[in-house]
Amino acid sequence: MTPYRAPGWLPGGQAQTLWPLLIKPKAIPLRRERWETPDGDFIDVDHLDGPPESPLLVLFHGLEGSARSHYAISTARACRRMGWRLALPHFRGCSGELNRRPRAYHSGDSAEIDWILRRLHQDNTGRRLHAAGISLGGNALLKWAGEQQQAAASLVSGVAGICAPLDLAACGHQLARGFNRIYTRHFLDTLKSRSAARLARFPGLFDETRMRRSRNLWDFDDAVTGPVHGFAGADDYWARSSAIAWLKTIAVPALVVNPRNDPFLPASALPGPNDISPCVRLEQPATGGHVGFVSGAFPGNLDWLPQRLLHFFTSELS
């Protein structure tokens, strides 16, 4: 498949990141299913149904994303055209309703990825199952694949991580600089609101004053994400949850796409050939932004990313 290249009328990583929000296609109807988790919580999984014998693509969303994110909508539309089934699991609290337990979700939540994939595999009764993750979801999925090594092949045909923040420290500090702080403010608006609601349900879960004073992701992760999920703080969370350390042990076909102009992750932090296993294919186009991948004549479309995923899972697995 043709490597990604941004159209000439859309220059720069910031524009390539933000433009998809303006041309997001219309969502198609999905069937929602609520799953009870082993610890007494729930997640909501949105399904695009199709022929029972067709492949199933599982798509894990990014930070504060959902089935309404532009990449989820464009992937659902592409799957419908191909006659594939699609499952869009929502991480806890991201489907529009606060979850029941104190915990939420985080970039290294490979245990949740494992539970979801095992449940889908069981329901899929031997048919092809492919897994992809966008941004945070991509990091968690790639970490899972590295941890599972050969065992991952019993559940999935392969994995794909798109714009995954493979080095969480590099990503977190990058988002605290310059124009990138607009993304941080967007994330913190919803993270703080949801965290406040969780704190009202579980008093003393974390330091409310520190949470409300957070001005960047390090502040928030040090006050909330880290302590709530068993980490010593932001630095410990970022170090233990970064997928880059697990790329060498992935033993299923893996596609890892990271544009070099992604505002979220500096090109200097991207992995090279010595950082990966022979099963991993790195694609690091010069353009694309953060989950942008706009293509075509003005005003453009969002077809390239779902086409890349479907091509990988249909033509490039070995």
Side-chain angles (χ1 to χ4, degrees), residues 42-54:
F42 71 90
I43 64 167
D44 290 324
V45 184
D46 286 2
H47 295 270
L48 174 69
D49 296 319
E53 70 281 2
S54 64

Side-chain angles (χ1 to χ4, degrees), residues 178-312:
F179 183 87
N180 292 341
R181 287 176 289 188
I182 192 172
Y183 306 117
T184 297
R185 287 196 295 270
H186 168 72
F187 290 137
L188 288 179
D189 282 347
T190 55
L191 286 168
K192 287 182 178 182
S193 174
R194 195 171 296 144
S195 296
R198 187 171 287 110
L199 189 63
R201 184 175 294 181
F202 302 101
L205 183 62
F206 53 81
D207 187 327
E208 181 177 11
T209 300
R210 288 190 63 204
M211 182 272 288
R212 294 194 180 280
R213 289 179 177 173
S214 297
R215 293 294 177 265
N216 53 54
L217 291 179
W218 189 95
D219 291 344
F220 182 85
D221 288 342
D222 201 55
V224 181
T225 312
V228 169
H229 298 100
F231 300 100
D235 293 331
D236 182 47
Y237 160 47
W238 288 356
R240 291 167 55 190
S241 298
S242 294
I244 195 166
W246 294 98
L247 298 182
K248 282 187 175 181
T249 56
I250 292 177
V252 294
L255 174 68
V256 181
V257 180
N258 288 98
R260 301 187 71 83
N261 72 341
D262 185 342
F264 287 33
L265 188 65
S268 59
L270 295 178
N274 295 329
D275 301 314
I276 61 175
S277 81
C279 294
V280 176
R281 174 172 180 167
L282 297 179
E283 291 188 1
Q284 298 172 354
T287 56
H290 187 73
V291 202
F293 304 112
V294 176
S295 58
F298 182 87
N301 62 70
L302 302 180
D303 294 340
W304 186 88
L305 174 55
Q307 289 174 0
R308 183 69 194 94
L309 290 174
L310 295 175
H311 190 272
F312 174 68

